[in-house]
Amino acid sequence: GAVVSQHPSRVICKSGTSVKIECRSLDFQATTMFWYRQFPKQSLMLMATSNEGSKATYEQGVEKDKFLINHASLTLSTLTVTSAHPEDSSFYICSARDPGQGQETQYFGPGTRLLVL
Amino acid sequence: AQSVSQHNHHVILSEAASLELGCNYSYGGTVNLFWYVQYPGQHLQLLLKYFSGDPLVKGIKGFEAEFIKSKFSFNLRKPSVQWSDTAEYFCAVTPDTGRRALTFGSGTRLQVQP
C-alpha cells in the first residue's frame, strides 16, 4: 500500500516554543491530507484538513492560530504547534488521500509523539 | 454530522475463538465505512472498507465485515483469532460527499490470550 511518513517520530520541547511536524506521501501525490490528534487510550480526533495550494479547513474547537498547517506541495504538509503548552502534549497523526485509490481511501503516517515540558 | 459508536471497549479472547466487534454509525446520507487496526507501537492500517455493492466485505488477515444499512451497522468478524491479532481496532466512516474526512469510533482493544 501507499506509504506516508512523519518526522519527527517524537519530540520533547519546552513550554512556549514552537514545534513543526512534517507529513510526506512517499509514493503518491496527495492533494488532501488530514491531521488528527490522539489522546492516550482514545480515538483519533480530526483537527484539520490540509489542501494543497489553499488554506486548511479546521474542525470546530481547533485554534487555527495555534496549529498552523501548510500544504506547500503535493507530497508535503506541515503542522506547526505554536507556543506549545503542556496541554498540547499528544500523539499527532497525519493521513493522506491517494487519488489513485479512490477518493475515500486514506493512508496514515506513523504519528508524532509531542511532549511539552 | 456523522458519529460512530463502538460498544466493546476491551475484549479478551482465547486463541481460536470467534470475534465480532460492533460498530454503529449515525448519518443521514450515504457513507463509506472502514475498519482500521493499530498494532502496538505501529501506525493505523486499513483492514477493510465498504463503498458500495456486496454488503459483506472481506479484508486482510481473514477479517470480514457486514454492512447492514437498516441497522446502521458495520460489524467486524473473524472466525478464529490468533495471538497476533492483539491490537486496537477502529471503525470509521466518511460521508460519500464533501471533504470525506474520517470520523472514528472510540476503538476496541482486543487482547488475544495464547
Side-chain angles (χ1 to χ4, degrees):
Chain A
V3 178
V4 175
S5 70
Q6 277 184 246
H7 178 80
S9 58
R10 60 180 65 204
V11 56
I12 301 173
C13 69
K14 292 182 179 179
S15 185
T17 61
S18 295
V19 175
K20 180 186 283 188
I21 303 170
E22 294 185 347
C23 176
R24 293 181 185 274
S25 56
L26 298 183
D27 51 1
F28 64 97
Q29 294 183 326
T31 54
T32 302
M33 292 183 173
F34 300 91
W35 286 96
Y36 297 84
R37 186 171 177 176
Q38 185 179 28
F39 290 101
K41 299 185 188 294
Q42 294 188 31
S43 187
L44 283 76
M45 300 299 294
L46 179 67
M47 297 175 66
T49 304
S50 172
N51 302 297
E52 189 270 335
S54 64
K55 291 183 179 179
T57 303
Y58 289 82
E59 295 301 297
Q60 193 172 9
V62 178
E63 300 175 55
K64 57 184 68 177
D65 294 330
K66 172 79 171 173
F67 299 99
L68 300 178
I69 291 172
N70 187 312
H71 196 150
S73 76
L74 287 171
T75 59
L76 174 63
S77 174
T78 60
L79 168 68
T80 301
V81 183
T82 62
S83 187
H85 291 284
E87 58 264 29
D88 298 325
S89 299
S90 191
F91 195 53
Y92 293 88
I93 303 172
C94 74
S95 71
R97 181 184 292 154
D98 182 353
Q101 295 292 320
Q103 283 292 313
E104 303 81 4
T105 301
Q106 295 180 30
Y107 295 93
F108 286 81
T112 296
R113 190 165 300 283
L114 171 63
L115 177 60
V116 184
L117 302 176
Chain B
Q2 63 274 18
S3 65
V4 181
S5 297
Q6 290 181 245
H7 305 294
N8 315 104
H9 298 294
H10 188 191
V11 173
I12 302 174
L13 294 173
S14 298
E15 276 193 311
S18 64
L19 170 72
E20 180 160 3
L21 301 182
C23 172
N24 289 89
Y25 70 93
S26 69
Y27 182 68
T30 304
V31 294
N32 301 305
L33 297 152
F34 305 80
W35 275 97
Y36 283 88
V37 60
Q38 188 174 33
Y39 296 104
Q42 296 189 27
H43 62 279
L44 279 168
Q45 299 174 41
L46 181 66
L47 264 183
L48 48 78
K49 58 188 177 184
Y50 172 81
F51 295 160
S52 64
D54 189 345
L56 182 63
V57 292
K58 295 189 184 299
I60 61 171
K61 304 186 181 187
F63 286 92
E64 65 178 32
E66 184 175 13
F67 172 50
I68 303 179
K69 190 175 181 179
S70 61
K71 294 184 178 180
F72 297 90
S73 70
F74 190 56
N75 292 354
L76 180 71
R77 299 195 291 251
K78 185 171 184 178
S80 176
V81 295
Q82 300 172 318
W83 177 78
S84 58
D85 293 324
T86 294
E88 189 92 20
Y89 292 81
F90 294 96
C91 181
V93 61
T94 68
D96 198 35
T97 59
R99 292 184 294 130
R100 300 172 190 265
L102 284 165
T103 298
F104 284 87
S106 55
T108 297
R109 180 166 173 253
L110 172 65
Q111 187 177 344
V112 180
Q113 296 176 332

